[in-house]
Amino acid sequence: MIKREDVYKIGRLGKAHGVKGEVSFQFDDDIFDTTDADYLILEIDGILVPFFMEEYRFRSDALALVKFCDIDTLQRASELTGCDVYFPRSIADEDTEGPSLAMLVGFDIVDASDNKVVGKIASIDDTTQNILFELEDGMLIPASDDLIENIDTDQQTIIMHIPEGLLSLR
């Protein structure tokens, strides 16, 4: 059984495309293209299920058309519409130079000054040039390389030098 802590969300499936079972895939992280993964993990009725990819092709920087094995009709592909798509952390750790932004969701932020957990990353705001970690309590912390001391993918923690006064804004 695939555990939620062993994967991270990379996107969501959209509508079926064509009649041969392709489905549109809106992604936040193209890790599936930069590693040797043969499958993606879909959340179906709350259960994480691996689906092997037969092929895929990019339509834009954030959209691909994916053909999964044994999904060969419009109806079967339509059943996958709206499924969240996940990627195994273990494969991402092995095949990349460092964790992607999407992979950091769920990591704890630890203040380097006192080694206390500040909060857990709920999402990444990369809509502007200044990328922000959004914590579960809504707090925003700059995701600057200058502030990050260490990223531990095994412990799922990020040790950061939190700017003085930022934590008092809570």
Side-chain angles (χ1 to χ4, degrees), residues 72-90:
D72 51 9
T73 65
L74 175 64
Q75 181 179 350
R76 298 271 325 264
S78 295
E79 293 170 3
L80 301 177
T81 298
C83 287
D84 286 333
V85 180
Y86 295 83
F87 197 79
R89 290 183 187 275
S90 60

Side-chain angles (χ1 to χ4, degrees), residues 82-156:
C83 287
D84 286 333
V85 180
Y86 295 83
F87 197 79
R89 290 183 187 275
S90 60
I91 295 174
D93 287 345
E94 292 171 6
D95 290 348
T96 59
E97 295 175 8
S100 67
L101 285 174
M103 187 178 173
L104 299 177
V105 172
F107 278 40
D108 286 326
I109 299 287
V110 177
D111 189 348
S113 66
D114 60 9
N115 287 328
K116 289 186 180 177
V117 175
V118 174
K120 187 177 292 287
I121 299 173
S123 66
I124 309 290
D125 181 352
D126 61 355
T127 57
T128 65
Q129 195 169 9
N130 297 319
I131 299 170
L132 300 168
F133 294 135
E134 183 175 354
L135 304 185
E136 289 177 339
D137 66 1
M139 182 173 191
L140 298 173
I141 296 181
S144 169
D145 288 339
D146 296 338
L147 300 177
I148 297 172
E149 181 176 303
N150 184 41
I151 298 175
D152 186 336
T153 56
D154 293 331
Q155 297 296 317
Q156 294 189 359

